[in-house]
Structures are given as C-alpha cells and as structure tokens.
Amino acid sequence: MRHKILRILPVTLATLSMAAAWQGAGSAETPKRRAVPTRSATSTLRVGAFRLRLDPASQTARSLSPIGTPGFDFLPVGRSKERAGNGYNHLGDIHLRLRTRAGPWQDYSSSRDRKPVRPLPARGKVLAAADITATMGTGLPLRITREWVNEGGVPALRFILTNASRDPVEVGGLGMPMVFDNIISDRTLEQAHAQASFADPYIGQDAGYVQVTRLNGAGPALLVLPERNTPLEAYVPVPTMRETGGKAVIVEASPRAQTSEGFYDWTVASAAYARTDWAKAGQPWNEATSFRLAPGESRQIGLRFAASPSIRGIEQTLTAQARPVVVGVPGYVVPTDLDATLFVRAASAITNIASYPAGALEVTRQTGKPGWTRLSVRGRRWGRARLTLNYADGSVQTVQYFVTKPLERTMADLGRFSTTRQWFEGKGDPFGRSPAILTYDREANRIVTDDPRVWISGMSDEGGAGSWVAAVMKQLDNPDAAEIARIEQLVDKTVVGRLQVADGPHAGGVKKSLFYYDPAAFPDRYQPAKDWQSWTSWKKDQADDLGRAYNYPHVAAGHWVLYRIARNHPGMTKVHGWDWYLDHAYQTIVAMMRDAPHYAQFGLMEGDVFVDILTDLKREGWTTKADGVERLMKGRADHWRTLKYPFGSEMAWDSTGQAEVYAWMRYFGYGPQADVTREVILGYDPSIPHWGYNGNARRYWDFLYGGKYPRLERQIHHYGSTLNAIPLFDSFRRDPRDTHLLRVAYGGLLGGITNIDQQGASSAAFHSWPDRMEWDPYSGDYGMGFFGHAYAAATYLVDDPALGWLSYGGNLSQSGGTIHVEPRDGARSRFFVAPAGLWLTLEAGKIAAVDYDPATRTVRLTLDPADPATPTARLFVETTTPGGRTYRPDRGMMERGGYSVPLSTSPTQLVLSAR
C-alpha cells in the first residue's frame, strides 16, 4: 500500500518539507567556550578516509564525509541549523537508564536539554575530548567523558563512565544514537539517491556492526564497529517528541515520517528497557543485560567508523578491521529438511557453540577451506533460534536463525489455511464479496470483514488483495485441485464482474475496493468502536475508482496462474479454459494503461508478471495482442530510460517498483538502466548474518495500511524482500561470479516464508521494534510477498572460489567428481547450474535431483513420476551467461518454446549436454 501517505501529506517530493515540524522543539544554547591548550574541536579533522567536523559547542559530530566522494556526507550536515536545538540527537550523544541501590530507573540524555560541555586537553591520537556530565541532566551519579580519537587512521568515538557517587550504580540502559542522513524530505529522487543513506544493524553482540549505505548503492559504505565492552545488544528506536508527548528524557525532536525513518540507539545494555517498556513484548534478539559500577569504578565503551570501498567490500573491510565474518548458506532461514552451513572467519578460535532455545539448532564442525571454520547447521525446532559463538579472546557473537517446516509442507499449510479458514462465502454480503478469501486476524482468529481502512476488507489494494493473491500464487508450483476449485469460484464470481469490470468500455478495469463506507445504506455494518471518519473510509464512488494501477497486477497474476495451470495440468481447472484466463490477463494490462495511466508511469509491485503474460501471448501465437502489450510496455520503459533513477511512486521514496523497472529494462535491452536499478536495490537490501535483516528490503510505513497495529516502524520481511530478490536473482544468473547478489536474494526469498506460521496463517510482516517483537496479526498485504517467493523459488548450484561447492536451496553431496543436488526450495521447478550458466525451469513437473559433472559439463536431470494432473513435464532450457554454451535435453518435443517430456510411473531422467 503506497498511495495513502499522499492523502495525509498532499505534496510532491520536491516540495515535501518537515522543517516546519522541526521548529520550536528547542533551540541550541550558546555555551561559554573554554580555550583548549592543544587542539581545537572546531576545526575540520582529516582522519584516514574521512573528514570529521565537530560542533564547537557540544563536540558532537556534524559531518563525516568520505574524502574520495566530494559533496557527500554520511551525517545530515545540510540540516545542521534546523537540527541545532534541544532534543536533536547527533553522533557523539549518549543515552542512559540507571539506578542506585534498588531505586527507580532514571533516564539521562546528553541531547535533551543541552548545557555547555567542558573541553579537555586533546593530545596524541585524541582529536577532541570533553567532560559532558553537565549536559546529561541533573542528579546523574556518573561522570562521563567523551573522546574523538584517530585510531590508526580510523575515527573512533569513546565514552568513559565513572561512578562519582558513594553507591553502586546499575546501568540498565546505555545507547549511542546512530544519526545518519536518512532524511529524504525536501529532496528530489535524484538528490535523495545522491545524498541520503540508510543504516542497517547486525545485532550480533561483540561482532555486531551497523552498515550505512548510500541510496544509489555506490561506494563508499560506512561501517560502525564496536570496541571492547561495546556489544550491539539491541537496536532501539529513539522515540520522537511527537510519539512521547514531549515528556520523555530520551527523545528525538525530528518527527518520524515516510520521508524519515528516524534514528536508533546502538544499545550496549538493555535490561532496564526489557523490564519496563518491553515487558509484554516477544523475546529480544539477545539476552537483555545490565552492568554495575562500584563507587570510583569506570567503564570505557567505544565505536570505530571504517570505510568500505563498496557494499560488496563490506566483509573484506570487516576482516581488515579484525572483526569476525560469518556467511550463512543458503542464509539464516533453515527448513528442517535442508542442510545449511555457516562459514566463520575470525582471528580468534571458537571455544564454544550454543543454541537457544536448547536443541533448536544442531551444529557440527566440518572440514572447511583454509581460513574458514565450516559449521553444519540443522534446524530442529520451528521458530526463532539464536546461535552463540564464544571466542578465545572472550568476545561473543550471536547469529539469529529462523527454523521452518520443509518448504513444501509450508506451501501446503498456506494453501489449506487461505482456502478454508480465510474462505468467506454465503454470508449475504451486500458488498459482493462472496465467495472470497479475505484478510485474517490471527490474534482474534477471525476474518476481518470490516476495517475503517476499507481496502483491507475489500479484496483490492495490497492490504485487501494480499490474502487471495497468496492463495493463487501458491498454486503456481504446487497446484491442489480442491484449492483451485475454490479459487476458480472466486475469480469467476467475485473478481470478474465485481472487482474487475467484465465488459463495456472499461472492461478489465479494477476497482480500489469492494467494501466501502455507507452508514446510511448499511447502518449496522460498521463497528462503532472504530474511527470511520478519516480519509481511509472510502465511500462507494471512491472504492469504485479504476484509476489505481497498483491494483492491476494482483488481478493479472490471478488470471495468469490459472492460465498456466489450465495449460499444463489437464483437468485441474473446470470453469474456464486456458485461453479465457490468458485473455483476461491480457485485458487487465490493456485496461490498466487505459483507465489508470497516471500510476502506470511508475514501477508496480508484482509488475514482473506482465513480462510473463507477454511471453505467453507470444508462445501461443497471439501476435496482435502481444504486439499491443509490447507497445504499451515499451512506452513505459522508454519513459523510465530518460530518468536517472526511475523509481518514483506516489510515495516520496519507495522500494517496490524497482523489480518491474528492472524487468522491462532487461526485456527491451536497456542494460545500463537495469544495472543502475540493481545497484540501487543493494543500497536498501543488505546481506547481514541475521534472518530478519538478511535480504530485508527496507519498508517502514506499511503497517499503517495493512497491519493491525499501525505505526511507522521498520518492518521485517514485508513484501519488498521477495519482490526485490527477483531482479537480484536475474542479475546473478547473468554474472554468477557476483555471489553477493545471490546471498541477498536468497535472504529475501526465504525471509518471506517466516511470515507463515505453523498452521499456515500469514502475516504482513514482523514488528522489529523491541517493544513488540512479533508478527502482526493481520495477513494484510502478505500476498505480494508470497508472489515474489512463488515466482522466484529455485535451487542454485555454485562453485564458490572461497567456500567450495554450495547449494542454495538444496542438499548437496559429491561422489566421484559428480555434484549431486536434491532441491528443497518448496517449488522444485527451477534450477540454476552456475558454472554452466544453465537455467532450467519447469511449468509442469518436479525436479527430484540434478547431477553435474564439472569435467564434461554434463547435467543429468531427474524428474518426479507422473501423476494424474501432470502426465507431461514442460521444460525450458536457457543459457544466461554471455558466451555460454547452449544445452539441449536428450529427449522431448519442442512445443511453445519448451520441451514437452512424457512422464512415467517411475522417475524420468534427462541428460543435457552442451552443444
């Protein structure tokens, strides 16, 4: 869901400004300046690859600019004046929650009510120093000094906390604000991509870090690394004054908005928060701790700021900085039937490995490549799991895993739940939603038949279409006759003719919602406890609007999947033939361009399906219709080609149109624009050893539009994760040397599965803030994410130069030089042999195993036996790498661009040889 923000803030990106909201939150005081006999903190300091500029009054950082990138800054230096007052946090501030004896917890902040800091002499490698106790607030029992240090060419920030009281002090909350320029307000898309950055945490204790990447995906990237006694225990959002009513001590004056995610604390100790603010939340990522300082005792904490030349160079930079590096294959989401591996490269030896909960993960050591420790990881218990590595130097690293069922069982669970528990029929519904698959509330265990955000109950828009789209997409690779029977009813009776215009001048047009707000016509239909007076409660004329292009891919995908099933699985569809479904998919595209041209200028979530519909029109010989679609889509692509960053949307910045833009750039041969799109995706889609953040394409506003608990909050594996994986997979298949692409893509692909619970209920996303830490109860817009998973699910065979033979999505073994892989990806319909650049896809049939001989480059493909609905396999063979050799199977009849291979009651084997 994207369009609603503009109803709240009806301005364009170029004019969008939060400056007014930032005024009046307090102004900077003018502290008395004290001469320092050595080095002045007011100068710009060159430290290694950076220029560091400190504020002369507070000695907090105002600028951290890479020397090799003129005009770019990781900090919001351009907003220094508007962010100069009380309550505005900066790099170099600190937050504390502590208590003496058994007294109440007290909060302290260096930014809430600024007072002059006392500069201290700066000698040697110390660039600037100050006693900042006075600006922490009254009653602080600690003395706090801060130093900016040149640590071997790397800027470092250090705090020394000393107990100046007569009583022991327990520090239960300690955070350092990570304030980077993630503010998109008042910037065009070109300016935002050139100037802004996003920060992503690896919440991994002593091995943790924060990576700060530019929106355009270009280097350099910034790594915030811990020094001793500074674990990244939690990553805590700094609450805003608007959120707290301005009464909190630990607070940020900048408002949180779609154009500004807000800031977070690098949190070293969090037990006080866990006992208060988070008491009702799910388990935190790491055990919440506190520490004590006896009278006169001190503790030093610190962070370093290292430059990585590129996003792909982050792990090499970590190694150069003597930080542990771990690589999970296929990632950190582990189905119980999949062999996963964790590779560890660290300067210190691993002394202990522990799983929490006990027994959730089974870990054994294996022989690895030189310089790497190789650990076999098996998931044993469904749900979140934490792997803890203890090192000989006393440091601790945690790696967050998620254990799922075998993916084919997960697919079956989703299909069953969505077509039974979410099935809505025969209710005398005046809105025409019967039969339907509607949004589900897992907390209340009921269908959401009415919500003031009417689209959620209206089968359209992302928040309402998500549930039935998920049910449809499940059938693409795992068709079930009973489920398809219900889906055909839904499409025939509710989609076509109600949600989608069936005939006339607007045939194919798609409404914004079937449900709407009309208390005069239906006085008893709307729950009085809810607010029905906001713009979200569309009236009938608003709900009937055909002008929202974002709704069209949902319907097109439904028609397309049923076309594929009818064409490749005889007898599974009963209501219409394959040609009816393909024609309606075609009509949907044409109607979008006719009735919704404004939003069609943007890339659309699930828009990749249009490429497949066009491909199928060509395969079927529907030349006139194919030419028409191609002409319409080329008009869009040609427009995007004129833009430096063609990723606009109704939102000021978005992360869901890039996949379709990439698809059409590739289709029409616009390679440079496709490459730009890929790199932009890497700017907001990280590779991080944590199931929640690995491949988690940035989203932080869609709980407002599809969740039960609406707020601006970083979402874990919202639909952007899987949708953005699609172009990364495609790019990897074009260049299998770039394994970074594969790792990010697979993180997003499997991350989207974590939103399906043990019974098959789906969730829009996981709430990442530590005061909740659980999946949202609403299924909401999850279907858009499941579209991406079903569309891209595949197994990849890779010969990694550093790690050896690996399988992403399958179980690998070697015998006599042959590599044997058994897919476990949940679809078993797609397989990529990276050394050969060979992309195998099935529209019917299942892959049981693939054997690859590196010496001869021969591929042996074993298919499952036939079943009544799949008597024939449909295999497509493509070489994706430049200069790659062409492969052909030793049997099969060429038909509609692929090979039709009759199946038997026993497994069928095909041999593919390079020609």
Side-chain angles (χ1 to χ4, degrees):
M1 172 68 66
R2 304 189 291 184
H3 65 305
K4 286 89 186 179
I5 275 285
L6 288 191
R7 300 292 183 93
I8 300 172
L9 303 172
V11 288
T12 65
L13 174 59
T15 60
L16 187 58
S17 175
M18 295 297 173
W22 290 340
Q23 302 301 317
S27 58
E29 299 187 33
T30 307
K32 295 179 180 179
R33 297 175 60 185
R34 173 178 174 179
V36 181
T38 51
R39 187 181 291 122
S40 171
T42 63
S43 60
T44 298
L45 308 166
R46 177 166 179 162
V47 189
F50 293 103
R51 286 190 177 90
L52 171 66
R53 182 160 61 85
L54 303 181
D55 178 74
S58 67
Q59 277 195 19
T60 55
R62 289 298 188 270
S63 171
L64 186 63
S65 176
I67 291 171
T69 313
F72 172 75
D73 206 299
F74 284 110
L75 307 188
V77 63
R79 303 176 188 272
S80 293
K81 289 184 179 180
E82 67 193 47
R83 301 194 71 255
N86 290 333
Y88 292 98
N89 289 276
H90 301 281
L91 203 63
D93 278 314
I94 189 170
H95 297 144
L96 292 169
R97 178 171 289 184
L98 50 82
R99 64 183 179 183
T100 56
R101 302 183 182 275
W105 294 105
Q106 300 289 333
D107 287 347
Y108 300 89
S109 167
S110 62
S111 63
R112 183 64 179 89
D113 186 14
R114 293 198 183 274
K115 298 293 189 296
V117 301
R118 182 167 64 89
L120 300 173
R123 301 185 179 90
K125 62 183 181 180
V126 177
L127 303 169
D131 183 330
I132 68 169
T133 308
T135 196
M136 295 298 298
T138 59
L140 179 69
L142 307 181
R143 181 174 68 253
I144 302 178
T145 60
R146 179 183 58 214
E147 297 179 340
W148 292 95
V149 179
N150 182 342
E151 190 59 61
V154 176
L157 166 66
R158 291 174 184 160
F159 294 94
I160 302 171
L161 284 65
T162 302
N163 185 354
S165 73
R166 297 180 178 181
D167 296 312
V169 173
E170 181 182 7
V171 179
L174 193 167
M176 292 169 281
M178 298 288 97
V179 179
F180 302 106
D181 191 359
N182 65 2
I183 305 170
I184 304 172
S185 311
D186 276 341
R187 285 171 168 165
T188 66
L189 278 176
E190 286 198 13
Q191 291 171 335
H193 281 91
Q195 299 170 10
S197 302
F198 284 142
D200 286 293
Y202 166 36
I203 310 170
Q205 296 284 36
D206 297 320
Y209 57 85
V210 172
Q211 66 178 52
V212 189
T213 55
R214 301 175 65 188
L215 262 66
N216 59 17
L222 173 66
L223 294 180
V224 185
L225 307 173
E227 294 192 327
R228 190 171 182 83
N229 294 322
T230 317
L232 183 48
E233 179 174 291
Y235 198 58
V236 181
V238 182
T240 68
M241 287 188 174
R242 186 177 296 176
E243 292 163 351
T244 62
K247 298 179 181 179
V249 173
I250 299 175
V251 73
E252 166 59 42
S254 304
R256 212 180 308 276
Q258 193 273 331
T259 52
S260 181
E261 181 182 354
F263 307 121
Y264 293 77
D265 270 350
W266 176 301
T267 304
V268 174
S270 60
Y273 304 135
R275 297 168 190 169
T276 54
D277 307 58
W278 312 343
K280 297 181 180 179
Q283 285 290 323
W285 297 121
N286 295 302
E287 182 181 356
T289 67
S290 63
F291 62 90
R292 294 181 181 275
L293 294 174
E297 185 180 5
S298 297
R299 174 166 171 167
Q300 177 176 294
I301 61 172
L303 301 171
R304 299 186 186 185
F305 304 90
S308 172
S310 67
I311 292 174
R312 292 173 178 81
I314 285 174
E315 289 174 358
Q316 290 78 6
T317 303
L318 290 171
T319 298
Q321 294 293 322
R323 309 307 305 157
V325 171
V326 298
V327 177
V329 176
Y332 309 94
V333 178
V334 183
T336 54
D337 64 341
L338 182 68
D339 299 326
T341 309
L342 184 68
F343 296 90
V344 183
R345 181 169 59 197
S348 186
I350 299 173
T351 57
N352 189 59
I353 303 172
S355 166
Y356 177 84
L361 298 169
E362 182 181 289
V363 181
T364 56
R365 294 180 186 247
Q366 296 179 324
T367 302
K369 292 279 188 175
W372 292 90
T373 297
R374 178 171 179 152
L375 304 175
S376 169
V377 180
R378 264 286 187 171
R380 298 300 185 192
R381 182 183 301 176
W382 188 93
R384 291 171 51 194
R386 183 173 66 237
L387 193 66
T388 300
L389 307 178
N390 294 86
Y391 292 99
D393 63 3
S395 63
V396 176
Q397 177 172 17
T398 57
V399 182
Q400 303 290 335
Y401 276 91
F402 191 91
V403 179
T404 74
K405 293 180 180 181
L407 292 183
E408 288 192 66
R409 288 178 55 191
T410 302
M411 303 298 105
D413 291 341
L414 176 71
R416 181 175 55 255
F417 194 99
S418 60
T419 56
T420 55
R421 300 280 292 276
Q422 294 181 251
W423 185 252
F424 179 83
E425 184 178 17
K427 308 292 184 180
D429 183 63
F431 303 99
R433 296 175 296 178
S434 175
I437 295 172
L438 297 181
T439 295
Y440 198 79
D441 180 348
R442 192 61 165 135
E443 189 174 52
N445 276 321
R446 66 172 183 86
I447 290 172
V448 182
T449 56
D450 58 322
D451 189 290
R453 297 161 294 175
V454 296
W455 56 86
I456 286 179
S457 301
M459 284 190 67
S460 197
D461 220 288
E462 290 71 70
S467 291
W468 70 263
V469 168
V472 170
M473 290 306 301
K474 181 267 177 184
Q475 312 305 320
L476 180 65
D477 297 310
N478 295 280
D480 177 273
E483 294 166 8
I484 290 169
R486 285 198 154 182
I487 290 168
E488 280 201 287
Q489 289 183 54
L490 181 153
V491 170
D492 187 57
K493 296 179 180 179
T494 307
V495 172
V496 177
R498 294 179 186 172
L499 182 63
Q500 183 175 36
V501 179
D503 48 39
H506 294 287
V510 180
K511 298 177 182 178
K512 287 167 59 176
S513 176
L514 286 180
F515 183 61
Y516 53 87
Y517 181 58
D518 188 350
F522 313 114
D524 301 322
R525 298 294 304 193
Y526 308 102
Q527 296 184 36
K530 296 183 177 181
D531 177 16
W532 295 90
Q533 303 308 310
S534 79
W535 65 269
T536 68
S537 299
W538 295 335
K539 308 301 188 290
K540 189 177 189 305
D541 60 334
Q542 296 171 300
D544 285 347
D545 179 30
L546 306 178
R548 182 169 164 74
Y550 299 105
N551 294 326
Y552 287 72
H554 314 330
V555 175
H559 292 313
W560 174 71
V561 169
L562 290 171
Y563 153 75
R564 283 282 180 97
I565 294 168
R567 197 65 164 112
N568 298 299
H569 299 278
M572 291 204 84
T573 58
K574 308 290 188 183
V575 179
H576 296 291
W578 64 264
D579 52 344
W580 190 93
Y581 288 116
L582 182 58
D583 186 60
H584 276 71
Y586 158 77
Q587 288 183 36
T588 306
I589 298 175
V590 173
M592 179 185 77
M593 299 303 294
R594 181 193 64 228
D595 294 330
H598 173 72
Y599 289 125
Q601 69 180 296
F602 305 126
L604 308 173
M605 69 285 286
E606 307 145 76
D608 310 67
V609 76
F610 296 154
V611 180
D612 287 86
I613 293 168
L614 174 55
T615 299
D616 285 328
L617 290 171
K618 289 185 172 183
R619 288 174 179 171
E620 297 291 357
W622 293 12
T623 305
T624 301
K625 292 181 177 180
D627 290 348
V629 169
E630 190 165 76
R631 183 174 59 256
L632 291 171
M633 296 301 103
K634 192 171 189 299
R636 300 171 74 209
D638 286 345
H639 167 65
W640 296 332
R641 193 184 184 192
T642 67
L643 305 175
K644 187 172 183 179
Y645 298 105
F647 316 120
S649 89
E650 58 200 346
M651 291 301 204
W653 174 86
D654 215 333
S655 60
T656 56
Q658 283 82 347
E660 194 200 2
V661 170
Y662 175 93
W664 289 119
M665 294 297 103
R666 286 295 187 209
Y667 182 89
F668 290 112
Y670 301 156
Q673 289 78 16
D675 292 344
V676 166
T677 306
R678 178 196 64 223
E679 295 306 298
V680 164
I681 291 172
L682 294 180
Y684 59 76
D685 201 347
S687 172
I688 286 177
H690 185 302
W691 72 264
Y693 289 90
N694 192 44
N696 183 32
R698 182 171 302 270
R699 304 289 290 179
Y700 53 87
W701 59 86
D702 271 332
F703 281 139
L704 296 177
Y705 312 120
K708 183 173 183 176
Y709 296 106
R711 64 180 178 185
L712 288 163
E713 172 186 11
R714 181 68 186 276
Q715 296 169 277
I716 294 294
H717 295 306
H718 188 252
Y719 61 70
S721 294
T722 57
L723 295 182
N724 282 279
I726 296 170
L728 299 184
F729 278 129
D730 181 85
S731 290
F732 173 75
R733 293 193 296 269
R734 294 169 183 271
D735 182 8
R737 298 168 299 176
D738 194 348
T739 55
H740 179 82
L741 297 172
L742 178 61
R743 286 165 51 188
V744 175
Y746 230 93
L749 179 78
L750 291 187
I753 292 302
T754 62
N755 295 359
I756 303 173
D757 74 11
Q758 287 177 284
Q759 285 71 47
S762 58
S763 166
F766 184 86
H767 287 270
S768 71
W769 284 6
D771 65 343
R772 188 165 292 277
M773 291 294 289
E774 61 186 10
W775 283 269
D776 193 89
Y778 273 16
S779 54
D781 47 16
Y782 173 68
M784 288 68 248
F786 191 75
F787 170 94
H789 179 89
Y791 190 90
T795 294
Y796 288 75
L797 172 62
V798 178
D799 186 10
D800 190 292
L803 305 176
W805 286 102
L806 304 173
S807 175
Y808 288 74
N811 291 335
L812 182 150
S813 59
Q814 301 184 50
S815 177
T818 298
I819 313 300
H820 178 79
V821 180
E822 297 179 2
R824 294 289 185 270
D825 58 64
R828 294 198 291 121
S829 300
R830 306 171 196 89
F831 196 103
F832 185 61
V833 184
L838 178 61
W839 181 225
L840 305 173
T841 60
L842 288 167
E843 289 183 2
K846 293 280 189 180
I847 301 172
V850 174
D851 292 276
Y852 177 64
D853 186 337
T856 64
R857 295 199 169 190
T858 299
V859 175
R860 185 180 298 275
L861 181 64
T862 303
L863 303 179
D864 277 2
D867 63 47
T870 313
T872 302
R874 289 277 296 146
L875 173 67
F876 291 80
V877 181
E878 180 184 359
T879 301
T880 61
T881 52
R885 300 168 68 184
T886 301
Y887 278 77
R888 292 180 183 174
D890 61 350
R891 71 172 86 176
M893 178 180 295
M894 177 61 71
E895 183 182 10
R896 290 183 287 115
Y899 296 91
S900 294
V901 181
L903 301 174
S904 66
T905 55
S906 59
T908 297
Q909 289 195 340
L910 302 174
V911 176
L912 295 97
S913 303
R915 305 294 174 91

